[in-house]
Structure formats: C-alpha cells, structure tokens
Amino acid sequence: MSVNADHVRRAALDSRAPIHDEVVAAGESWVGNILRGQVLRIVDLEGNQAVDTLFYNAHESDEHYSAVDTIRGQGNIYLTTGTKLRSNLGATLLTIIEDTCGRHDTLGGACSAESNTVRYALEARHMHSCRDSFLLALARRGHDLGKRDLPSNINFFMNVPVTSDGKLSFADGLSAPGRYVELRADMDVLVLISNCPQLNNPCNAYNPTPIQILTWAAG
Ligand SMILES: [Zn+2]
C-alpha cells in the first residue's frame, strides 16, 4: 500500500466508531474474537509495556500462531508493518498494517513462574506471570485450552535485540506513550493477551502499565 493510500485508510478508520474499545489494566489479560477483515489496534498507553499475545484460528484451535513460520516467511526476526503472522499450518492469521513503535519481539517468550525462578530468585516464583495470565484468562472464558496449547508468543512493544554473535538481550523498549500496532485479521481469530505483569526486567521498565484494545468492523 502506498504512503498516501495508507493515510487515507487510517483517516477512514479513525472516522469510524470502533466496535470495541477497552482499557486493559496493568498485569491483566484480555480474550476476544476478531473476525476476518476486522482491525485490531493495541495501544501502549504509557509506553514501554510488553503485551504478550497469541492468536488461534477461531474455529480450530490446533491452528495457532507460529513464530518460526512467521520469521521464515518474512526472512526477518522482528515484527513490524507488513509482517504476516503465520500459523503452524502456514496460513496467514493476521497482517500488521500499521506500527508506530517500529519493532516487536517474537523470540523472548512469555514469563512464567518457572522462568521467574530461574532468572531472578526462588522468591519470585509466586509473582504474577504471563503464562499464568494466559491460562487464567482461558479458564475464565470457558475455553478448553491448557498449557499444551500455548506456543511461543509475540511480545508487542518489547525490545529484544539480537547481538552480532546471536545473543538475545532484553533491552529498554523503543515504544513511547500512545504508540500502537494495528492488525487486520486474515481469518477469524481468537486473540489471547497478557498485559505483562513482570516487575523484574526492563520489558515493562519495571513498572507495568495499562494498554488499550480497539477493534473496527471490516470495510
Ligand atoms: Zn510477561
């Protein structure tokens, strides 16, 4: 899409009322369905917040987001405008159509009670984690998905640069208050979000903050 056409599309989107508009508090989760053609916008309201996210085929949850297929498909490890989020079956789940942050991670994974223990301290085991948030959110909504159904995820707004010798580093975010990422669903998808509660590394600037979720109808 040309820059001009993109401006026209965005202006058209902003002139229409969203069908869903919700603030997700720091450390909370969100589950929802986005139908084919609908647009999902995730806003980093205060900046430097990691938003751990998974997508599933809404009609067949065995088909889900695949970091490996996404990276291989685009030949790049970072996610940004133009990235097609691929499934484990090679289909496109969603496409990133707008990104005012510029880079999102899909290598760092989700924090868990286990990773809190290994990375930080035994005393960190009880702290809230994205993996537990995913499972709690699914259970609350009555979804029949468990630990085995959690593949490697996306960390929107999180900065995990890879060094020249291939090392992963968790760095200060590139995001800032109000930056957002916008995705168009290429099939009906189930969206699972953990607004990361992590207090022990710079992915949230040691201070988890709220995000905003907006969706627009197709067209
Ligand atoms: Zn987390």
Side-chain angles (χ1 to χ4, degrees):
M1 192 179 278
S2 73
V3 170
N4 203 27
D6 191 51
H7 274 270
V8 170
R9 184 198 64 73
R10 209 176 321 146
L13 197 65
D14 282 330
S15 71
R16 291 163 51 202
I19 54 176
H20 190 86
D21 183 353
E22 179 179 351
V23 171
V24 179
E28 288 298 322
S29 55
W30 189 84
V31 178
N33 281 295
I34 308 292
L35 303 180
R36 183 165 187 261
Q38 291 185 344
V39 171
L40 166 70
R41 182 187 289 176
I42 305 171
V43 186
D44 186 3
L45 288 174
E46 297 186 23
N48 223 343
Q49 173 62 25
V51 182
D52 291 46
T53 306
L54 281 168
F55 298 103
Y56 301 82
N57 177 334
H59 308 290
E60 180 45 73
S61 57
D62 283 347
E63 182 172 24
H64 52 70
Y65 174 70
S66 165
V68 168
D69 289 275
T70 298
I71 289 168
R72 187 170 51 212
Q74 68 175 8
N76 192 293
I77 57 173
Y78 302 122
L79 313 183
T80 187
T81 308
T83 294
K84 291 183 182 306
L85 303 179
R86 310 258 185 192
S87 77
N88 54 322
L89 302 184
T92 302
L93 295 160
L94 307 95
T95 303
I96 299 179
I97 56 174
E98 174 72 7
D99 175 17
T100 63
C101 172
R103 180 193 286 184
H104 309 271
D105 165 69
T106 193
L107 297 173
C111 60
S112 64
E114 292 78 7
S115 69
N116 279 346
T117 306
V118 171
R119 285 183 186 145
Y120 312 116
L122 275 179
E123 292 73 29
R125 184 173 178 84
H126 71 281
M127 296 177 77
H128 292 183
S129 71
C130 285
R131 194 173 178 81
D132 289 346
S133 289
F134 282 150
L135 294 169
L136 185 61
L138 289 167
R140 275 183 183 153
R141 294 287 294 263
H143 286 284
D144 190 23
L145 295 168
K147 273 189 185 176
R148 288 166 194 260
D149 303 301
L150 299 180
S152 294
N153 59 291
I154 297 167
N155 295 302
F156 286 116
F157 308 110
M158 186 164 151
N159 185 24
V160 184
V162 175
T163 65
S164 57
D165 56 348
K167 288 204 169 72
L168 291 182
S169 49
F170 287 67
D172 281 341
L174 303 172
S175 191
R179 297 210 179 164
Y180 64 87
V181 60
E182 214 170 79
L183 307 105
R184 184 197 60 235
D186 294 302
M187 66 169 78
D188 296 350
V189 292
L190 171 71
V191 185
L192 176 58
I193 288 174
S194 165
N195 189 20
C196 184
Q198 186 56 252
L199 294 167
N200 297 291
N201 81 41
C203 72
N204 294 330
Y206 304 93
N207 175 35
T209 50
I211 56 168
Q212 186 180 14
I213 308 272
L214 300 116
T215 65
W216 281 269

